Amino acid sequence: MDARWWAVVVLAALPSLGAGGETPEAPPESWTQLWFFRFLVNAAGYASFMVPGYLMVQYFRRKNYLETGRGLCFPLVKTCVFGNEPKASDEVPLASRTEPVETTPAWQALKLLFCAAGLQVSYLTWGVLQERVMTRSYGATATSPGERFTDSQFLVLMNRVLALIVAGLSCVLCKQPRHGAPMYRYSFASLSNVLSSWCQYEALKFVSFPTQVLAKASKVIPVMLMGKLVSRRSYEHWEYLTAGLISIGVSMFLLSSGPEPRSSPATTLAGLILLAGYIAFDSFTSNWQDALFAYKMSSVQMMFGVNLFSCLFTVGSLLEQGALLEGTRFMGRHSEFAAHALLLSVCSACGQLFIFYTIGQFGAAIFTIIMTLRQAFAILLSCLLYGHTVTVVGGLGVAVVFAALLLRVYARGRLKQRVKKAVPVESPVQKV
């Protein structure tokens, strides 16, 4: 059984061997350009930072450095390894979803419109640029086909650098709670976040953008499976119903839509494996961040800590591979790519701020509805701009998926209302 699974991975990593005479969309120039090899090289680069860092943390803990340590490095070690226990007088209450002075329905409607427009513009632009950067050539002329940008990790670095700058400015300009979490704990969420972003960008070389969006929308299915198998968690009947509808809708889309031009079963398999990796890493990131919020930090502090380690990991890995200079040279050769990458990073950073603000003002349910509609608009926009073909049955499958997601949000909201009426106690501040 293990040999068969390994053969599947090898077939996906070597699309030219299973193409059956067809040409993959982006054939690798050499074995060093294969996605599986690049993943292993990137992982090795991150491990060269994570493993020594983990050993140092364990060393300082065994030595009880917090009690015996002295010297210039003591504050740095304390912040990175042990953290700071916040005092009651130092804590700044996180912004709860309380009504401000302007409580008129018109003002609330304007704020909701502002949040919805900000999220839609940020992430629709981000999606269009993501597909443009990873699937189209730059510098093409009548005599030259141009060249494609292939280093997903360099793109992840650009996104994280700008997000780090935005989060840092927000921490400086806006009052934040006293930070108490050990800095090294951000590294785990940062590592999974970098790997999920890499898988997301890399998957676009093998599957279409609409397929990627539907894979993200169906993330609730593996989450429920893991909760049932690992945590022995029970679910309501409507949760099973919506998960089943999502499965049916995704199946209708994948089975009815024809293959992309110049694709093959092997390249599609590679894309699906990368999408599975994205979902797995992204699920770990959200769960780890949820645990970190026990330290009473703000969302902006979380954004800063995760992006700080993401920048360290990606810069170190790119330097070890010698790819940082090559990515910079590509930007120098193609000013259009530089503009696209910069705008992509701006949209990613601004989108994160809109997420925090929307959840703080209107709650997670409204935010989920806005983002669900954004995914549907993203598929439509991608089909219009890049010519993806979707059959009538495939379009119906997409509609089933998003109807199930909206039904899930509605049912969860009704359930929360019943719980509040049954137990009329003051609810805690919602975590972002």
Side-chain angles (χ1 to χ4, degrees), residues 114-268:
F114 171 74
C115 292
L119 288 169
Q120 298 291 348
V121 171
S122 297
Y123 283 104
L124 286 177
T125 306
W126 177 80
V128 169
L129 289 174
Q130 181 188 33
E131 187 171 7
R132 168 66 181 89
V133 169
M134 298 307 299
T135 64
R136 298 296 189 270
S137 299
Y138 286 93
T141 61
T143 57
S144 172
E147 58 179 333
R148 288 192 178 185
F149 180 75
T150 59
D151 195 346
S152 301
Q153 188 176 210
F154 184 83
L155 207 57
V156 173
L157 171 62
M158 291 196 64
N159 291 347
R160 298 303 178 266
V161 167
L162 193 59
L164 178 66
I165 294 174
V166 171
L169 290 176
S170 299
C171 289
V172 172
L173 298 177
C174 303
K175 192 174 183 181
Q176 304 293 329
R178 186 173 185 266
H179 189 267
M183 289 297 295
Y184 83 92
R185 291 182 63 85
Y186 290 106
S187 63
F188 299 100
S190 176
L191 178 61
S192 59
N193 180 256
V194 168
L195 290 174
S196 68
S197 298
W198 185 88
C199 290
Q200 181 182 20
Y201 285 124
E202 200 73 11
L204 283 176
K205 299 178 181 178
F206 304 100
V207 297
S208 66
F209 184 78
T211 302
Q212 186 189 82
V213 172
L214 280 186
K216 296 178 187 178
S218 60
K219 187 170 62 175
V220 63
I221 299 174
V223 170
M224 288 182 63
L225 289 176
M226 291 298 292
K228 189 72 174 178
L229 296 176
V230 178
S231 305
R232 305 295 181 184
R233 186 176 301 171
S234 60
Y235 296 97
E236 300 288 337
H237 294 297
W238 58 267
E239 292 181 289
Y240 288 109
L241 173 63
T242 53
L245 289 175
I246 291 172
S247 301
I248 294 172
V250 172
S251 301
M252 291 172 61
F253 176 81
L254 294 179
L255 295 177
S256 65
S257 300
E260 290 293 307
R262 301 177 62 190
S263 67
S264 70
T267 58
T268 302

Side-chain angles (χ1 to χ4, degrees), residues 7 15 30 58 65 89 105 144 165 168 183-184 228 247 274 309 343 359 391-392 396 400:
S30 65
Q58 295 303 313
Y65 187 83
S89 58
S144 172
I165 294 174
M183 289 297 295
Y184 83 92
K228 189 72 174 178
S247 301
L274 287 166
F309 280 95
L343 185 56
I359 294 178
T391 63
V392 175
L396 183 60
V400 170

Side-chain angles (χ1 to χ4, degrees), residues 56-57 59-61 64-87 90 178-186 295 309:
M56 290 180 63
V57 168
Y59 170 79
F60 286 122
R61 287 185 176 277
N64 197 17
Y65 187 83
L66 190 61
E67 302 295 334
T68 62
R70 294 292 183 272
L72 295 176
C73 296
F74 178 76
L76 179 62
V77 174
K78 180 182 177 183
T79 301
C80 294
V81 178
F82 300 98
N84 300 296
E85 290 295 333
K87 302 175 183 178
D90 294 330
R178 186 173 185 266
H179 189 267
M183 289 297 295
Y184 83 92
R185 291 182 63 85
Y186 290 106
Y295 287 97
F309 280 95

